[in-house]
Amino acid sequence: MQGQSQQQAYDRGITIFSPDGRLYQVEYAREAVKRGTASIGIRTDDGVVLVVDKRIRSPLMERTSVEKIHKADDHIGIASAGHVADARQLIDFARRQAQVNQLRYEEPIGVETLTKAVTDHIQQYTQVGGARPFGVALIIGGIEDGEPRLYETDPSGTPYEWQALAVGADRGDIEDYLEEHYTDDLDIDGGIGLAMEALASVNEDELTSEGIGLATVSVEDGFEKVPDEKIEAQLEEHGLLADEDEDEE
């Protein structure tokens, strides 16, 4: 009984390490991320591609209200997986940091600097009693000194830099696909195709323009959200567009 009560204490207290050095609440936050729909980031020679699975629970829901890709600054975009409300709080924090940097130093914030500011904020919630960790992972992509950069934030408050990654559901399968097909010489169009193919690999090789979100952050044009008609054209070009007749059946 004593062992069970100790286990429950480690389980409930964010500030208490278990005997084997684990913080259970942080691990539970990672599980919350896994339950979110997938988001993918690809770093290319001339920019960053963000693709997200915008699975909608009901045809009555306004699809524009499902936001998983956000603009943090003119040169930085953020995609999320996990608890949407937690993501919204972190993205608001990131936007404030970008504005403060612009006002204080009169220059755009660096992608690495912004990522570390966000992860420092996340980390504080892993060692404060009466709070819980953020149950969300972010993909932060942007341009820094003319070079594309791509980062992930973890619920523990740790930043990681990637060439290509996925967060959320089916992360392992999507990253296996990315590891097999990613090359260093991709351009933005190639990155879009690879991200869509990776997402389709866990969705029976079929996608719809309404079911995914796409944004790019390029060296020339900065952050841009791609409209549905262009997404549909990209899906059709890569042979990934779901058959509407089958969907209606």
Side-chain angles (χ1 to χ4, degrees):
M1 293 293 294
Q2 184 177 359
Q4 290 181 354
S5 63
Q6 288 179 341
Q7 174 69 39
Q8 289 175 353
Y10 304 136
D11 191 61
R12 293 171 183 168
I14 185 58
T15 61
I16 303 173
F17 283 99
S18 71
D20 56 351
R22 296 162 64 185
L23 289 174
Y24 285 105
Q25 288 295 322
V26 172
E27 295 184 18
Y28 296 158
R30 291 194 183 110
E31 290 300 317
V33 172
K34 292 179 183 178
R35 292 175 180 272
T37 54
S39 295
I40 300 172
I42 307 281
R43 191 181 76 194
T44 71
D45 281 344
D46 50 352
V48 173
V49 174
L50 300 173
V51 171
V52 299
D53 184 349
K54 291 176 59 175
R55 200 171 304 158
I56 297 174
R57 296 189 301 271
S58 168
L60 299 177
M61 183 181 292
E62 281 289 347
R63 53 182 301 275
T64 54
S65 68
V66 180
E67 290 188 290
K68 291 192 62 181
I69 296 180
H70 306 261
K71 178 181 177 180
D73 205 341
D74 290 337
H75 64 298
I76 298 177
I78 300 177
S80 67
H83 281 287
V84 175
D86 287 8
R88 190 176 65 248
Q89 291 297 314
L90 290 179
I91 288 159
D92 285 346
F93 175 83
R95 287 169 171 165
R96 288 195 299 272
Q97 292 300 306
Q99 292 171 3
V100 166
N101 193 89
Q102 182 67 51
L103 290 170
R104 183 175 293 166
Y105 303 112
E106 297 184 353
E107 63 181 15
I109 193 168
V111 184
E112 181 177 6
T113 300
L114 179 62
T115 301
K116 289 184 176 180
V118 172
T119 51
D120 286 348
H121 182 64
I122 293 170
Q123 193 275 336
Q124 292 177 17
Y125 285 80
T126 68
Q127 60 181 46
V128 177
R132 65 163 176 80
F134 289 93
V136 66
L138 304 180
I139 299 175
I140 302 178
I143 307 301
E144 183 172 343
D145 297 327
E147 295 292 327
R149 306 290 294 273
L150 183 67
Y151 288 89
E152 171 196 7
T153 72
D154 180 78
S156 67
T158 306
Y160 302 97
E161 186 168 11
W162 294 80
Q163 294 174 310
L165 81 151
V167 294
D170 302 309
R171 173 173 184 161
D173 293 336
I174 294 173
E175 288 192 347
D176 286 345
Y177 188 94
L178 294 174
E179 288 173 7
E180 184 178 350
H181 296 89
Y182 179 84
T183 59
D184 292 333
D185 58 352
L186 284 173
D187 60 9
I188 281 188
D189 286 339
I192 291 172
L194 175 58
M196 287 181 169
E197 289 166 1
L199 186 58
S201 71
V202 295
N203 284 277
E204 300 180 351
D205 293 326
E206 288 189 343
L207 300 170
T208 65
S209 59
E210 294 83 7
I212 67 173
L214 169 61
T216 61
V217 191
S218 67
V219 175
E220 291 187 0
D221 301 319
F223 179 89
E224 290 185 324
K225 266 193 177 179
V226 179
D228 287 351
E229 55 270 19
K230 289 188 177 180
I231 294 176
E232 186 168 340
Q234 287 279 355
L235 291 173
E236 193 167 2
E237 179 181 339
H238 291 88
L240 302 173
L241 188 62
D243 188 339
E244 293 183 0
D245 294 335
E246 290 182 4
D247 290 345
E248 289 175 359
E249 291 175 4

